[in-house]
Amino acid sequence: MKPFSLLIKPASADCNLRCEYCFYIDHLDKIKKTPRMSNEVLETIISSYMQTDQNNNYSFGWQGGEPMIMGLKFFQKAIEFQKHFAPPGAVIRNGLQTNGTLITHAFAQFLGEYKFLLGVSLDGPADIHNYYRKTIGQKPTHHLVMQGIEQLKRNKVEFNILILVNNQNVKEAKEIYQFLREQGFYYHQYIPCVEFDEIGDPKPFSITGEEWGKFLCDLFDEWVRKDIKRISIRHFDSIMEYLVNRSYNVCYMGKNCCQYFVVEYDGSIYPCDFFVQDNLLLGNVLENKWEAILNSPIYLNFGFNKSKWHKNCNSCSFIYLCHGDCQKFRIGNIKHSKTISFLCKGWKKFYVHALPRLTIIADNIRKGNDISPSTQIISNKIGRNSPCPCGSGKKHKNCCMR
Protein backbone atom coordinates (compact mmCIF):
# COMPACT_ATOMS: atom_id res chain seq x y z
CA MET A 1 0.00 0.00 0.00
CA LYS A 2 1.29 3.44 -0.90
CA PRO A 3 2.09 5.47 2.25
CA PHE A 4 -0.16 8.44 2.93
CA SER A 5 -0.81 10.92 5.71
CA LEU A 6 -4.00 12.34 7.17
CA LEU A 7 -5.22 15.89 7.51
CA ILE A 8 -8.01 15.74 10.09
CA LYS A 9 -10.61 18.49 10.58
CA PRO A 10 -12.31 17.64 13.89
CA ALA A 11 -14.34 20.87 13.94
CA SER A 12 -14.59 21.19 10.16
CA ALA A 13 -14.62 24.88 9.19
CA ASP A 14 -15.77 26.10 12.60
CA CYS A 15 -13.51 28.76 14.09
CA ASN A 16 -13.43 31.44 16.77
CA LEU A 17 -12.17 33.95 14.18
CA ARG A 18 -13.79 35.35 11.07
CA CYS A 19 -10.90 36.19 8.76
CA GLU A 20 -12.34 37.76 5.64
CA TYR A 21 -10.04 35.84 3.31
CA CYS A 22 -10.76 32.39 4.77
CA PHE A 23 -11.42 29.97 1.91
CA TYR A 24 -13.17 27.46 4.13
CA ILE A 25 -15.61 29.26 6.40
CA ASP A 26 -18.43 29.15 3.84
CA HIS A 27 -18.34 25.38 4.25
CA LEU A 28 -20.18 25.84 7.56
CA ASP A 29 -23.32 26.86 5.67
CA LYS A 30 -23.61 23.28 4.40
CA ILE A 31 -23.54 21.78 7.90
CA LYS A 32 -26.83 21.57 9.80
CA LYS A 33 -25.35 21.20 13.27
CA THR A 34 -22.24 22.38 15.09
CA PRO A 35 -19.46 20.24 13.60
CA ARG A 36 -17.65 18.27 16.27
CA MET A 37 -15.90 14.94 15.74
CA SER A 38 -17.27 12.09 17.85
CA ASN A 39 -15.11 9.61 19.74
CA GLU A 40 -16.37 6.92 17.39
CA VAL A 41 -15.07 8.72 14.32
CA LEU A 42 -11.81 9.67 16.06
CA GLU A 43 -11.16 6.11 17.17
CA THR A 44 -11.99 4.71 13.75
CA ILE A 45 -9.67 7.15 11.98
CA ILE A 46 -6.73 6.29 14.22
CA SER A 47 -7.32 2.54 14.48
CA SER A 48 -7.91 2.03 10.74
CA TYR A 49 -4.94 4.20 9.74
CA MET A 50 -2.63 2.33 12.06
CA GLN A 51 -3.68 -0.94 10.51
CA THR A 52 -2.26 0.20 7.17
CA ASP A 53 1.31 -0.33 6.05
CA GLN A 54 3.04 3.03 6.49
CA ASN A 55 6.54 1.67 7.11
CA ASN A 56 5.64 2.14 10.77
CA ASN A 57 5.47 5.93 10.36
CA TYR A 58 2.12 7.58 11.00
CA SER A 59 1.49 11.26 10.34
CA PHE A 60 -1.53 13.12 11.72
CA GLY A 61 -2.22 16.74 10.79
CA TRP A 62 -4.94 18.49 12.81
CA GLN A 63 -6.51 21.48 11.10
CA GLY A 64 -9.71 23.46 10.64
CA GLY A 65 -11.26 25.91 10.91
CA GLU A 66 -9.66 26.03 14.30
CA PRO A 67 -8.94 22.55 15.68
CA MET A 68 -8.21 23.83 19.20
CA ILE A 69 -11.87 24.71 19.76
CA MET A 70 -12.29 20.96 20.27
CA GLY A 71 -10.61 21.43 23.64
CA LEU A 72 -7.70 19.75 25.37
CA LYS A 73 -9.64 16.60 26.31
CA PHE A 74 -10.23 15.77 22.64
CA PHE A 75 -6.53 15.75 21.87
CA GLN A 76 -5.76 13.80 25.04
CA LYS A 77 -8.22 11.18 23.78
CA ALA A 78 -6.51 11.20 20.38
CA ILE A 79 -3.16 10.46 22.02
CA GLU A 80 -4.77 7.65 24.04
CA PHE A 81 -6.07 6.07 20.83
CA GLN A 82 -2.70 6.47 19.13
CA LYS A 83 -0.94 4.74 22.00
CA HIS A 84 -3.51 1.95 22.09
CA PHE A 85 -3.56 1.17 18.36
CA ALA A 86 0.07 1.86 17.47
CA PRO A 87 1.94 -1.21 16.23
CA PRO A 88 5.24 -2.06 17.96
CA GLY A 89 7.99 0.42 17.15
CA ALA A 90 5.66 2.90 15.45
CA VAL A 91 6.81 6.50 14.95
CA ILE A 92 3.86 8.86 15.36
CA ARG A 93 3.95 12.49 14.32
CA ASN A 94 1.32 15.05 15.20
CA GLY A 95 1.10 18.49 13.64
CA LEU A 96 -1.50 21.11 14.43
CA GLN A 97 -2.28 24.27 12.53
CA THR A 98 -3.84 27.01 14.64
CA ASN A 99 -4.69 30.68 14.71
CA GLY A 100 -2.85 30.76 18.03
CA THR A 101 -5.51 32.53 20.09
CA LEU A 102 -6.61 29.56 22.22
CA ILE A 103 -3.22 28.33 23.45
CA THR A 104 -3.37 28.07 27.23
CA HIS A 105 -0.57 26.96 29.52
CA ALA A 106 -2.20 23.55 29.99
CA PHE A 107 -2.66 23.09 26.25
CA ALA A 108 0.93 24.11 25.56
CA GLN A 109 2.20 21.71 28.24
CA PHE A 110 0.36 18.86 26.54
CA LEU A 111 1.60 19.82 23.07
CA GLY A 112 5.16 19.96 24.35
CA GLU A 113 4.91 16.63 26.15
CA TYR A 114 3.76 14.83 23.01
CA LYS A 115 6.06 16.69 20.62
CA PHE A 116 3.42 18.32 18.46
CA LEU A 117 4.73 20.65 15.78
CA LEU A 118 2.50 23.68 15.40
CA GLY A 119 1.88 25.99 12.49
CA VAL A 120 0.77 29.35 13.91
CA SER A 121 -0.91 31.88 11.62
CA LEU A 122 0.61 35.34 11.94
CA ASP A 123 0.46 37.78 9.02
CA GLY A 124 3.11 40.16 10.35
CA PRO A 125 3.20 43.02 12.88
CA ALA A 126 -0.05 44.09 14.53
CA ASP A 127 -1.23 46.64 11.97
CA ILE A 128 -0.81 44.16 9.12
CA HIS A 129 -2.05 41.07 10.96
CA ASN A 130 -5.18 42.71 12.37
CA TYR A 131 -6.43 43.95 9.02
CA TYR A 132 -8.00 40.59 8.20
CA ARG A 133 -7.48 38.35 11.23
CA LYS A 134 -10.31 39.35 13.59
CA THR A 135 -12.57 37.58 16.06
CA ILE A 136 -16.23 36.84 15.37
CA GLY A 137 -16.92 40.17 17.07
CA GLN A 138 -14.42 41.87 14.75
CA LYS A 139 -11.82 42.43 17.47
CA PRO A 140 -8.07 42.37 16.70
CA THR A 141 -6.19 39.18 17.48
CA HIS A 142 -2.47 39.96 17.16
CA HIS A 143 -1.91 40.28 20.91
CA LEU A 144 -3.70 36.97 21.52
CA VAL A 145 -1.49 35.17 19.01
CA MET A 146 1.64 36.60 20.58
CA GLN A 147 0.44 35.48 24.02
CA GLY A 148 -0.19 31.99 22.64
CA ILE A 149 3.28 31.85 21.11
CA GLU A 150 4.78 32.83 24.45
CA GLN A 151 3.07 29.80 26.00
CA LEU A 152 4.58 27.61 23.30
CA LYS A 153 8.04 28.96 24.00
CA ARG A 154 7.69 28.42 27.75
CA ASN A 155 6.72 24.80 27.17
CA LYS A 156 9.34 24.16 24.48
CA VAL A 157 6.79 23.46 21.74
CA GLU A 158 8.26 23.62 18.25
CA PHE A 159 6.33 25.88 15.90
CA ASN A 160 6.46 27.46 12.48
CA ILE A 161 4.92 30.78 11.49
CA LEU A 162 2.41 30.77 8.62
CA ILE A 163 2.00 34.07 6.77
CA LEU A 164 -0.85 34.43 4.31
CA VAL A 165 0.34 36.87 1.65
CA ASN A 166 -2.71 38.92 0.72
CA ASN A 167 -3.49 42.20 -1.02
CA GLN A 168 -2.73 44.16 2.15
CA ASN A 169 0.71 42.77 2.99
CA VAL A 170 2.04 41.69 -0.41
CA LYS A 171 4.17 44.83 -0.69
CA GLU A 172 5.59 44.44 2.81
CA ALA A 173 7.90 41.43 2.44
CA LYS A 174 10.84 43.10 4.15
CA GLU A 175 8.78 44.55 6.99
CA ILE A 176 7.13 41.19 7.72
CA TYR A 177 10.39 39.29 7.49
CA GLN A 178 12.24 41.72 9.74
CA PHE A 179 9.42 41.63 12.30
CA LEU A 180 9.50 37.83 12.44
CA ARG A 181 13.29 37.81 12.70
CA GLU A 182 13.25 40.35 15.53
CA GLN A 183 10.75 38.18 17.38
CA GLY A 184 13.08 35.20 17.09
CA PHE A 185 10.78 33.27 14.74
CA TYR A 186 13.10 31.28 12.52
CA TYR A 187 10.75 28.95 10.63
CA HIS A 188 8.54 30.66 8.06
CA GLN A 189 5.97 29.59 5.53
CA TYR A 190 4.62 32.21 3.15
CA ILE A 191 1.34 31.23 1.48
CA PRO A 192 -0.17 33.10 -1.49
CA CYS A 193 -3.75 34.21 -0.95
CA VAL A 194 -5.65 33.46 -4.16
CA GLU A 195 -9.38 32.84 -3.99
CA PHE A 196 -11.85 32.92 -6.84
CA ASP A 197 -15.52 33.82 -7.03
CA GLU A 198 -18.21 31.71 -8.67
CA ILE A 199 -17.25 32.84 -12.17
CA GLY A 200 -13.52 32.34 -11.68
CA ASP A 201 -12.43 35.92 -10.99
CA PRO A 202 -10.00 36.59 -8.12
CA LYS A 203 -11.60 37.95 -4.95
CA PRO A 204 -10.52 41.41 -3.70
CA PHE A 205 -8.09 40.13 -1.05
CA SER A 206 -6.22 37.97 -3.59
CA ILE A 207 -2.79 38.78 -4.99
CA THR A 208 -1.65 38.63 -8.60
CA GLY A 209 1.09 36.45 -9.99
CA GLU A 210 3.29 39.47 -10.55
CA GLU A 211 2.83 40.58 -6.93
CA TRP A 212 3.69 37.10 -5.69
CA GLY A 213 6.89 37.07 -7.70
CA LYS A 214 7.96 40.48 -6.42
CA PHE A 215 7.21 39.44 -2.84
CA LEU A 216 9.33 36.29 -3.14
CA CYS A 217 12.20 38.21 -4.73
CA ASP A 218 12.18 40.82 -1.95
CA LEU A 219 11.97 38.07 0.64
CA PHE A 220 14.86 36.16 -0.92
CA ASP A 221 17.08 39.24 -1.08
CA GLU A 222 16.49 39.96 2.58
CA TRP A 223 17.11 36.34 3.60
CA VAL A 224 20.16 35.63 1.47
CA ARG A 225 22.13 38.61 2.80
CA LYS A 226 22.77 37.21 6.28
CA ASP A 227 20.13 34.72 7.44
CA ILE A 228 20.61 31.60 5.37
CA LYS A 229 22.14 29.73 8.28
CA ARG A 230 19.50 30.55 10.85
CA ILE A 231 16.13 31.17 9.16
CA SER A 232 14.23 28.47 7.31
CA ILE A 233 11.77 29.51 4.62
CA ARG A 234 9.67 26.68 3.25
CA HIS A 235 9.79 27.72 -0.42
CA PHE A 236 13.56 28.06 -0.42
CA ASP A 237 14.06 24.84 1.51
CA SER A 238 11.85 22.93 -0.91
CA ILE A 239 13.83 24.09 -3.92
CA MET A 240 17.06 23.19 -2.15
CA GLU A 241 15.66 19.76 -1.30
CA TYR A 242 15.15 19.13 -5.00
CA LEU A 243 18.48 20.58 -6.09
CA VAL A 244 20.42 18.59 -3.50
CA ASN A 245 18.46 15.34 -3.25
CA ARG A 246 16.25 15.38 -6.36
CA SER A 247 13.14 14.84 -4.27
CA TYR A 248 9.98 16.86 -3.70
CA ASN A 249 8.80 17.59 -0.18
CA VAL A 250 5.83 19.83 -0.97
CA CYS A 251 2.83 18.73 -2.97
CA TYR A 252 2.59 21.58 -5.48
CA MET A 253 6.00 20.69 -6.92
CA GLY A 254 5.13 17.07 -7.73
CA LYS A 255 3.54 15.44 -10.77
CA ASN A 256 0.56 13.89 -9.04
CA CYS A 257 -1.94 15.03 -6.39
CA CYS A 258 -2.43 11.62 -4.76
CA GLN A 259 -0.59 12.78 -1.67
CA TYR A 260 -2.80 12.66 1.42
CA PHE A 261 -6.41 12.54 2.61
CA VAL A 262 -8.61 15.08 4.35
CA VAL A 263 -10.96 13.60 6.95
CA GLU A 264 -13.89 15.76 8.00
CA TYR A 265 -15.52 15.80 11.45
CA ASP A 266 -18.11 13.21 10.38
CA GLY A 267 -15.54 10.86 8.84
CA SER A 268 -16.02 11.97 5.23
CA ILE A 269 -12.85 11.64 3.16
CA TYR A 270 -11.61 14.01 0.43
CA PRO A 271 -8.39 14.16 -1.63
CA CYS A 272 -7.26 17.70 -0.82
CA ASP A 273 -7.80 20.51 1.65
CA PHE A 274 -8.66 22.89 -1.17
CA PHE A 275 -11.17 20.52 -2.73
CA VAL A 276 -13.55 19.50 0.04
CA GLN A 277 -16.51 19.36 -2.29
CA ASP A 278 -19.34 16.97 -3.03
CA ASN A 279 -18.05 15.69 -6.37
CA LEU A 280 -14.77 14.66 -4.72
CA LEU A 281 -16.21 12.78 -1.76
CA LEU A 282 -14.23 9.53 -1.62
CA GLY A 283 -16.03 7.74 1.18
CA ASN A 284 -16.24 7.66 4.97
CA VAL A 285 -13.94 6.09 7.57
CA LEU A 286 -16.96 4.46 9.22
CA GLU A 287 -17.85 2.62 6.03
CA ASN A 288 -14.84 2.29 3.73
CA LYS A 289 -11.39 0.70 3.93
CA TRP A 290 -8.30 2.77 3.20
CA GLU A 291 -7.22 0.41 0.45
CA ALA A 292 -10.50 1.05 -1.36
CA ILE A 293 -10.10 4.81 -0.91
CA LEU A 294 -6.56 4.69 -2.28
CA ASN A 295 -7.85 2.92 -5.39
CA SER A 296 -10.91 5.09 -5.83
CA PRO A 297 -11.29 6.23 -9.47
CA ILE A 298 -12.24 9.70 -8.21
CA TYR A 299 -9.04 9.93 -6.18
CA LEU A 300 -6.81 8.57 -8.93
CA ASN A 301 -8.34 10.88 -11.51
CA PHE A 302 -7.92 13.88 -9.20
CA GLY A 303 -4.27 13.02 -8.72
CA PHE A 304 -3.67 12.47 -12.41
CA ASN A 305 -5.19 15.84 -13.30
CA LYS A 306 -2.09 17.49 -11.81
CA SER A 307 -0.14 16.31 -14.86
CA LYS A 308 -2.62 17.83 -17.31
CA TRP A 309 -0.87 21.15 -17.37
CA HIS A 310 -1.13 23.68 -20.16
CA LYS A 311 0.77 22.82 -23.35
CA ASN A 312 2.93 25.93 -22.90
CA CYS A 313 4.27 24.44 -19.65
CA ASN A 314 6.11 21.75 -21.66
CA SER A 315 8.60 24.31 -22.96
CA CYS A 316 9.04 26.10 -19.63
CA SER A 317 12.53 25.94 -18.14
CA PHE A 318 11.05 25.59 -14.65
CA ILE A 319 8.44 22.88 -15.22
CA TYR A 320 10.43 20.51 -12.96
CA LEU A 321 9.87 22.89 -10.03
CA CYS A 322 6.08 23.06 -10.20
CA HIS A 323 4.65 20.63 -12.80
CA GLY A 324 1.89 23.12 -13.52
CA ASP A 325 1.54 24.31 -9.90
CA CYS A 326 -1.26 23.51 -7.46
CA GLN A 327 -4.56 22.71 -9.16
CA LYS A 328 -6.22 25.34 -6.99
CA PHE A 329 -4.33 28.07 -8.82
CA ARG A 330 -5.47 26.79 -12.18
CA ILE A 331 -8.58 28.93 -11.61
CA GLY A 332 -9.45 26.97 -8.49
CA ASN A 333 -11.72 24.42 -10.14
CA ILE A 334 -10.74 20.91 -11.13
CA LYS A 335 -12.53 21.18 -14.48
CA HIS A 336 -10.06 23.92 -15.45
CA SER A 337 -6.98 21.87 -14.64
CA LYS A 338 -5.32 22.54 -18.00
CA THR A 339 -5.21 26.29 -17.38
CA ILE A 340 -1.89 27.95 -16.67
CA SER A 341 -1.45 28.70 -12.98
CA PHE A 342 -2.69 32.09 -11.85
CA LEU A 343 0.71 32.52 -10.18
CA CYS A 344 2.83 31.41 -13.14
CA LYS A 345 4.33 34.81 -13.92
CA GLY A 346 5.30 35.24 -10.29
CA TRP A 347 7.00 31.87 -10.02
CA LYS A 348 8.99 32.54 -13.18
CA LYS A 349 10.07 35.95 -11.92
CA PHE A 350 11.28 34.41 -8.67
CA TYR A 351 13.08 31.47 -10.30
CA VAL A 352 14.92 33.75 -12.71
CA HIS A 353 15.94 35.93 -9.79
CA ALA A 354 16.90 33.33 -7.17
CA LEU A 355 17.60 30.00 -8.85
CA PRO A 356 21.18 30.79 -9.97
CA ARG A 357 22.20 31.52 -6.39
CA LEU A 358 20.28 28.57 -4.99
CA THR A 359 21.99 26.31 -7.51
CA ILE A 360 25.42 27.49 -6.34
CA ILE A 361 24.39 26.80 -2.76
CA ALA A 362 23.21 23.31 -3.72
CA ASP A 363 26.45 22.54 -5.54
CA ASN A 364 28.49 23.48 -2.51
CA ILE A 365 26.27 21.44 -0.21
CA ARG A 366 26.72 18.34 -2.38
CA LYS A 367 30.49 18.89 -2.28
CA GLY A 368 30.40 19.22 1.50
CA ASN A 369 31.50 22.85 1.50
CA ASP A 370 30.13 24.89 4.38
CA ILE A 371 29.91 28.21 2.58
CA SER A 372 27.78 31.03 3.86
CA PRO A 373 24.69 29.76 2.13
CA SER A 374 22.49 27.16 3.64
CA THR A 375 24.23 23.96 4.67
CA GLN A 376 22.73 24.21 8.14
CA ILE A 377 19.29 24.84 6.67
CA ILE A 378 19.44 21.63 4.65
CA SER A 379 20.93 19.38 7.30
CA ASN A 380 18.78 20.54 10.20
CA LYS A 381 15.76 22.55 9.27
CA ILE A 382 14.34 20.35 6.53
CA GLY A 383 14.54 17.60 9.11
CA ARG A 384 11.77 18.96 11.33
CA ASN A 385 8.70 16.83 11.77
CA SER A 386 5.76 18.39 10.04
CA PRO A 387 2.02 19.00 10.19
CA CYS A 388 2.15 19.06 6.42
CA PRO A 389 -0.51 16.83 4.92
CA CYS A 390 1.17 16.37 1.59
CA GLY A 391 2.24 12.82 2.36
CA SER A 392 5.67 12.93 0.77
CA GLY A 393 7.12 10.70 3.45
CA LYS A 394 9.74 13.33 4.25
CA LYS A 395 10.25 15.18 7.48
CA HIS A 396 9.75 18.79 6.50
CA LYS A 397 8.02 21.96 7.39
CA ASN A 398 4.33 22.47 6.90
CA CYS A 399 2.85 23.20 3.51
CA CYS A 400 -0.69 23.47 2.00
CA MET A 401 -1.86 25.03 5.21
CA ARG A 402 -3.22 28.18 6.62
Side-chain angles (χ1 to χ4, degrees):
M1 179 181 291
K2 177 185 176 182
F4 61 94
S5 58
L6 297 180
L7 177 60
I8 304 169
K9 298 201 161 188
S12 191
D14 203 5
C15 186
N16 61 316
L17 303 189
R18 286 298 182 269
C19 307
E20 184 180 341
Y21 54 47
C22 181
F23 75 95
Y24 197 50
I25 196 67
D26 291 342
H27 188 73
L28 279 180
D29 296 337
K30 303 176 184 178
I31 302 173
K32 296 180 181 179
K33 62 180 181 178
T34 302
R36 295 292 184 269
M37 183 170 286
S38 68
N39 280 343
E40 179 189 14
V41 172
L42 178 64
E43 181 176 4
T44 303
I45 291 170
I46 294 172
S47 62
S48 63
Y49 181 45
M50 287 187 159
Q51 291 170 13
T52 64
D53 180 12
Q54 303 294 316
N55 299 318
N56 237 14
N57 284 268
Y58 299 89
S59 178
F60 297 87
W62 306 92
Q63 195 172 319
E66 175 48 56
M68 293 187 75
I69 63 176
M70 295 296 295
L72 178 55
K73 289 183 179 180
F74 174 85
F75 289 97
Q76 290 171 332
K77 178 63 69 173
I79 292 296
E80 289 178 16
F81 286 143
Q82 290 177 355
K83 289 179 177 179
H84 180 74
F85 292 109
V91 176
I92 301 171
R93 299 184 179 93
N94 285 286
L96 188 150
Q97 192 263 316
T98 177
N99 60 43
T101 63
L102 301 177
I103 303 173
T104 63
H105 175 69
F107 225 137
Q109 270 190 321
F110 167 81
L111 297 170
E113 180 180 358
Y114 289 101
K115 308 301 182 185
F116 277 63
L117 173 61
L118 266 63
V120 181
S121 294
L122 182 67
D123 284 353
D127 58 328
I128 293 175
H129 174 93
N130 288 332
Y131 189 90
Y132 282 124
R133 303 195 67 82
K134 295 182 173 68
T135 66
I136 293 176
Q138 293 299 292
K139 300 294 184 181
T141 62
H142 189 271
H143 66 292
L144 298 175
V145 180
M146 297 301 288
Q147 290 171 12
I149 290 175
E150 186 59 33
Q151 291 292 349
L152 297 180
K153 288 181 175 180
R154 289 176 183 175
N155 289 278
K156 296 180 171 54
V157 182
E158 290 193 356
F159 63 93
N160 302 326
I161 298 296
L162 313 183
I163 306 95
L164 190 64
V165 182
N166 57 74
N167 69 321
Q168 293 299 312
N169 65 5
V170 70
K171 293 181 172 61
E172 310 298 338
K174 293 182 180 180
E175 180 182 352
I176 294 170
Y177 180 82
Q178 290 170 359
F179 167 77
L180 297 179
R181 182 177 58 196
E182 289 166 2
Q183 296 296 321
F185 303 153
Y186 295 151
Y187 298 89
H188 305 180
Q189 180 190 354
Y190 296 85
I191 307 164
C193 181
V194 180
E195 301 296 335
F196 303 96
D197 61 22
E198 61 278 358
I199 62 173
D201 292 331
K203 292 184 177 181
F205 41 72
S206 299
I207 61 173
T208 67
E210 292 87 344
E211 288 174 329
W212 177 235
K214 179 64 163 54
F215 182 94
L216 288 177
C217 290
D218 290 347
L219 184 68
F220 179 81
D221 289 346
E222 191 69 13
W223 170 80
V224 81
R225 286 193 305 116
K226 57 183 179 181
D227 290 329
I228 53 180
K229 280 195 170 186
R230 64 170 176 163
I231 294 182
S232 171
I233 296 177
R234 191 273 308 238
H235 288 307
F236 307 161
D237 286 356
S238 298
I239 296 171
M240 295 300 298
E241 172 70 18
Y242 175 79
L243 293 176
V244 174
N245 298 317
R246 290 298 188 264
S247 62
Y248 300 116
N249 65 6
V250 289
C251 51
Y252 77 86
M253 291 177 71
K255 296 180 180 179
N256 190 290
C257 283
C258 290
Q259 304 272 345
Y260 69 101
F261 293 107
V262 173
V263 185
E264 275 283 350
Y265 78 103
D266 61 356
S268 299
I269 305 169
Y270 299 87
C272 176
D273 186 27
F274 294 135
F275 292 93
V276 177
Q277 53 196 49
D278 293 343
N279 66 319
L280 289 174
L281 176 63
L282 303 176
N284 191 290
V285 296
L286 299 177
E287 302 169 359
N288 305 101
K289 302 294 185 183
W290 285 114
E291 185 173 1
I293 297 296
L294 279 165
N295 292 307
S296 163
I298 296 175
Y299 180 59
L300 296 175
N301 184 63
F302 174 80
F304 180 70
N305 275 334
K306 177 70 160 69
S307 65
K308 295 181 180 179
W309 49 72
H310 194 279
K311 63 180 181 180
N312 291 355
C313 296
N314 292 322
S315 59
C316 177
S317 301
F318 309 116
I319 184 63
Y320 65 97
L321 291 174
C322 75
H323 294 100
D325 204 5
C326 176
Q327 291 191 57
K328 175 185 178 179
F329 300 134
R330 303 176 189 180
I331 312 303
N333 190 314
I334 194 170
K335 69 180 181 180
H336 296 298
S337 63
K338 290 186 179 180
T339 304
I340 292 177
S341 169
F342 188 76
L343 297 175
C344 179
K345 291 182 179 178
W347 285 121
K348 286 183 176 179
K349 180 181 181 68
F350 169 65
Y351 292 142
V352 168
H353 181 76
L355 196 56
R357 280 175 284 181
L358 290 172
T359 301
I360 293 172
I361 296 172
D363 289 342
N364 279 277
I365 291 171
R366 281 194 299 270
K367 294 174 183 176
N369 298 334
D370 186 12
I371 60 171
S372 0
S374 100
T375 300
Q376 184 175 337
I377 294 288
I378 295 301
S379 62
N380 294 332
K381 296 180 180 178
I382 284 181
R384 281 170 74 110
N385 295 337
S386 172
C388 172
C390 80
S392 68
K394 301 287 183 182
K395 298 179 182 179
H396 55 278
K397 296 183 307 308
N398 40 320
C399 72
C400 314
M401 305 175 71
R402 288 194 182 170

